Amino acid sequence: MRWIGDGGVRDEQQTRHGIEAMEREWDTQGSGLFAVEIRSTGELAGFTGLSVPDACRSAWRQRGVS
């Protein structure tokens, strides 16, 4: 988690909120993130996929791009 947010470990509520946000993105945008696992261990390696941060969406809206 060192490269995500402040690098801290998320508690159950923060984890639940993050998962719900990812699911919402799939529902509203039709794209989002996938979990990537290390095949030999099943350990979470990170995430990949198409995701546009809210800050970018806001900037695009201000410029008339959707």
Side-chain angles (χ1 to χ4, degrees), residues 10-41:
R10 296 178 180 186
D11 63 24
E12 183 177 346
Q13 182 179 4
Q14 291 168 319
T15 301
R16 189 177 314 277
H17 176 72
I19 291 169
E20 289 168 355
M22 287 183 209
E23 289 174 342
R24 250 189 331 276
E25 185 169 23
W26 275 103
D27 290 342
T28 61
Q29 303 299 319
S31 63
L33 299 176
F34 294 94
V36 177
E37 294 181 352
I38 299 171
R39 186 178 294 194
S40 61
T41 65

Side-chain angles (χ1 to χ4, degrees), residues 1-8 10:
M1 297 298 295
R2 78 177 130 170
W3 307 116
I4 299 174
D6 66 3
R10 296 178 180 186

Side-chain angles (χ1 to χ4, degrees), residues 43-63:
E43 181 182 2
L44 177 65
F47 294 96
T48 188
L50 301 174
S51 183
V52 179
D54 288 336
C56 290
R57 282 194 191 95
S58 296
W60 291 344
R61 284 188 195 110
Q62 290 173 0
R63 292 178 176 85

